[in-house]
Amino acid sequence: MAGFNHPNHTNPQEKKEQSTCALLLRVFWMFLGNSVLALSALLIMQKGMSFSPIDILYWLIIPLLIAARYADISWFKGDTAYGEPASMTHWRQYAVKLLLIGAGVWFAAHGAGYLIAK
């Protein structure tokens, strides 16, 4: 069985584990993480200008999202929203956009909270 020892041969169980990890990463960076960010922003807005543990959660989720996208692309051959293979260029663009938009939403949530509290 020469093919069994081939370096590209992967165990079906290993493929299933990789597929599960890839799916969990994609669900996190595409949906769950962004949902937590949105909910956090709403809660920050309700708190007004005061800082709280929700601010810490908000700023912890952003690097987790960036790391999840990195892992998805580099280890699990993640795709773009259009089904094309994603590259590190896509990851850099995602990271920059997420940081900029995340900061803008965070400032806006605190600003809106300040206006609502008045």
Side-chain angles (χ1 to χ4, degrees):
M1 296 184 89
F4 184 74
N5 294 327
H6 191 273
N8 290 333
H9 176 76
T10 55
N11 181 348
Q13 180 64 27
E14 187 178 320
K15 276 188 172 183
K16 184 178 179 183
E17 289 171 7
Q18 286 182 347
S19 297
T20 302
C21 288
L23 176 65
L24 290 174
L25 278 172
R26 289 179 187 140
V27 167
F28 175 72
W29 77 260
M30 287 181 168
F31 178 69
L32 290 178
N34 291 311
S35 297
V36 171
L37 279 181
L39 180 61
S40 298
L42 289 173
L43 293 172
I44 289 169
M45 190 172 62
Q46 289 178 344
K47 291 275 185 189
M49 285 297 292
S50 63
F51 292 92
S52 70
I54 297 167
D55 292 283
I56 295 169
L57 173 67
Y58 185 90
W59 285 107
L60 284 175
I61 291 294
I62 289 178
L64 287 175
L65 284 168
I66 292 170
R69 184 63 175 138
Y70 179 85
D72 182 36
I73 292 171
S74 63
W75 296 328
F76 299 106
K77 310 293 185 239
D79 293 332
T80 66
Y82 302 106
E84 299 167 359
S87 67
M88 283 297 119
T89 300
H90 292 108
W91 174 76
R92 282 188 290 277
Q93 291 172 348
Y94 172 79
V96 168
K97 287 177 186 176
L98 183 60
L99 285 169
L100 292 175
I101 292 170
V105 168
W106 184 75
F107 281 115
H110 274 285
Y114 174 75
L115 293 174
I116 290 170
K118 277 189 146 186

